[in-house]
Amino acid sequence: MKILVINAGSSSLKYQVFDMENETIIAKGLCERIGIDGHLKHTPVGNGKPVFDSDMDFPTHGEAIAAVLDKLVSEEYGVVASMDEIGAVGHRVLHGGSKFIASQLVTDAVKDAIRECFPLGPLHNPANLMGIEACEKAMPGVPQIAVFDTAFHQTMPASSYMYAVPYKYYEENHVRRYGFHGTSHRYVSAEAIRVMGLPVEGSRIVTCHLGNGSSMAAVKDGKCFDTSMGLTPLEGVPMGTRCGSVDPAVVEFISNLEGISVSETLTMLNKKSGVLAVSGVSSDFRDLDKAAAEGNERAQLALDMFNYAVRKYIGAYAAAMGGLDGIVFTAGIGENSPEVRANILKGLEFLGVKLDAEANNCRGKLQKISAEDSRVQVYVIPTNEELVIARDALAIVTAG
Ligand code: AMP
């Protein structure tokens, strides 16, 4: 069966088509500037057909999906003989609230629940739903599957997910920690348990998803026990442009100082903060590494703050789980920066972490980077959220 995987943003739509026979990608692409003008880059994979890369008119997500489907079956750029070959569509959905602990076949009730979570994911959930509805219209009868970024974290105990604010905000307004990047944490923690040959019961893994957005998870017995992002993705370690955890009083202080609203202040803390703001250089860790090597002290400080925050979470989660068997690094920084990994792990020898410097000198591939005599095994595991979405979609349509 072929599965189309969609990641719809407010003005963009990323897609991949998997042949689930051997879990290979047969096409991928990106629609950009939806609602502005429009551009489609469509890449057939492995069949020798050319890349389509051109401006197109995308007033809504509907036209973007129609253009993608047209390319998938076209003589010149296509990868399937007809749309009948696509057995299901898997959609990445940011926020499933407390309702969903697993991926779901999209029904009217599921769409209502995605809509109910608009206040919790105001930028992403409306776009995710637009992607689902555009596919429903363009591919009637093809099962649509929603895969939630929050679902994996739903196993957290209340002591991990509650905030100490008046209880009515939890009861009436669902204010609590949800966590994000769940599909990634789920995939790499399961891979770690598999490659380490650990029994799932009793396993204790810390997963570090370090990319433009970064989050940490404590995975105990194969289930999420705690995670660093919260009600929204702003909490946790400092990120490319997000501040991570700060004293909430900072919000009022800055908003009074600048004469801007709480919402404008939060936009600043989401988009103009993090390592970008501390360094004054860039949100991209490659630029920070370069600037720090050239003696830029603020770039070095931003890197130090990031590494320190990640290290603190590893220590905290080891304590939370009563021990540690494995640490996993994934996503753009986690997979590609030996320097960041080495600096994060510095000082964790007391926990039983011993790095193999030579093995750590790797990028973008599954690799054990701890020494043979390290009690805690450390791995780089490239994440693959799209494959998890395709697998979930296949499992749901074949079961139902
Ligand atoms: P992601 O959000 O997972 O796509 O990660 C993107 C981020 O990964 C970029 O903004 C960079 O900060 C980081 N990154 C990618 N390649 C490297 C590299 N070779 N060294 C350090 N950081 C990298």
Side-chain angles (χ1 to χ4, degrees):
M1 187 187 291
K2 315 272 191 325
I3 307 262
L4 171 61
V5 173
I6 301 275
N7 185 354
S10 52
S11 67
S12 71
L13 187 148
K14 275 189 238 159
Y15 65 94
Q16 292 188 359
V17 182
F18 285 86
D19 182 347
M20 296 310 284
E21 206 70 50
N22 43 16
E23 295 192 332
T24 50
I25 296 171
I26 57 170
K28 59 184 180 181
L30 172 65
C31 304
E32 287 179 291
R33 301 176 59 81
I34 300 170
I36 305 164
D37 35 39
H39 186 93
L40 170 63
K41 182 168 183 187
H42 165 78
T43 309
V45 180
N47 66 357
K49 291 193 177 172
V51 172
F52 176 90
D53 191 357
S54 184
D55 288 343
M56 301 186 83
D57 210 16
F58 295 150
T60 71
H61 286 68
E63 287 81 8
I65 287 284
V68 170
L69 300 186
D70 182 59
K71 289 289 162 287
L72 292 179
V73 296
S74 88
E75 184 91 5
E76 197 176 354
Y77 305 100
V79 294
V80 290
S82 84
M83 287 315 294
D84 295 344
E85 287 184 40
I86 307 278
V89 186
H91 296 266
R92 180 177 189 180
V93 180
L94 180 84
H95 221 304
S98 302
K99 279 225 164 83
F100 301 117
I101 60 165
S103 302
Q104 301 290 319
L105 178 68
V106 174
T107 58
D108 286 344
V110 169
K111 284 200 282 182
D112 285 346
I114 295 172
R115 226 173 264 118
E116 275 168 34
C117 292
F118 279 6
L120 297 173
L123 296 180
H124 295 82
N125 271 40
N128 301 151
L129 189 60
M130 276 194 274
I132 291 173
E133 292 185 327
C135 286
E136 283 179 329
K137 212 162 153 211
M139 312 167 73
V142 177
Q144 310 288 323
I145 313 298
V147 179
F148 300 93
D149 259 25
T150 47
F152 179 64
H153 302 305
Q154 279 298 309
T155 50
M156 282 188 286
S159 47
S160 297
Y161 70 68
M162 286 299 290
Y163 290 133
V165 298
Y167 200 73
K168 70 168 188 165
Y169 296 118
Y170 167 65
E171 278 190 310
E172 294 169 23
N173 310 100
H174 319 293
V175 172
R176 50 160 283 184
R177 175 185 312 287
Y178 289 98
F180 299 88
H181 296 140
T183 312
S184 175
H185 288 293
R186 176 177 142 209
Y187 175 75
V188 298
S189 59
E191 275 292 281
I193 289 167
R194 185 181 68 78
V195 295
M196 287 166 65
L198 289 177
V200 176
E201 283 309 306
S203 61
R204 297 156 307 183
I205 312 282
V206 172
T207 46
C208 315
H209 177 110
L210 311 178
N212 197 28
S214 294
S215 67
M216 308 286 296
V219 183
K220 193 179 177 197
D221 305 323
K223 294 192 285 260
C224 180
F225 186 78
D226 201 352
T227 192
S228 60
M229 283 178 166
L231 176 75
T232 76
L234 190 54
E235 193 180 348
V237 299
M239 308 175 210
T241 63
R242 295 191 190 114
C243 60
S245 297
V246 293
D247 181 342
V250 166
V251 176
E252 189 200 25
F253 191 89
I254 293 180
S255 108
N256 285 346
L257 199 68
E258 297 290 341
I260 57 178
S261 67
V262 165
S263 146
E264 286 167 325
T265 309
L266 284 174
T267 301
M268 179 198 281
L269 296 178
N270 264 299
K271 302 210 160 143
K272 296 196 172 142
S273 301
V275 294
L276 166 70
V278 174
S279 68
V281 172
S282 170
S283 63
D284 191 309
F285 277 60
R286 287 164 287 202
D287 300 333
L288 297 182
D289 280 342
K290 188 163 171 282
E294 288 164 3
N296 185 314
E297 287 179 13
R298 278 176 54 187
Q300 188 59 57
L301 174 63
L303 288 168
D304 290 346
M305 286 169 66
F306 178 82
N307 296 337
Y308 177 61
V310 174
R311 191 184 308 133
K312 274 209 293 191
Y313 269 103
I314 295 173
Y317 286 167
M321 294 189 288
L324 188 61
D325 302 307
I327 300 171
V328 181
F329 288 100
T330 194
I333 304 162
E335 291 169 26
N336 294 303
S337 179
E339 296 79 15
V340 168
R341 293 192 297 254
N343 284 321
I344 287 170
L345 297 178
K346 241 181 228 163
L348 290 182
E349 293 78 8
F350 80 98
L351 266 183
V353 178
K354 196 166 159 196
L355 189 69
D356 177 335
E358 205 174 306
N360 183 40
N361 195 17
C362 67
R363 289 184 169 82
K365 61 171 185 161
L366 195 153
Q367 170 89 43
K368 181 176 171 181
I369 59 168
S370 50
E372 275 317 307
D373 60 344
S374 180
R375 202 172 45 69
V376 175
Q377 296 188 51
V378 187
Y379 273 88
V380 174
I381 302 182
T383 194
N384 198 339
E385 289 159 286
E386 292 79 11
L387 177 61
V388 178
I389 294 172
R391 283 179 179 168
D392 278 11
L394 179 69
I396 287 176
V397 290
T398 47

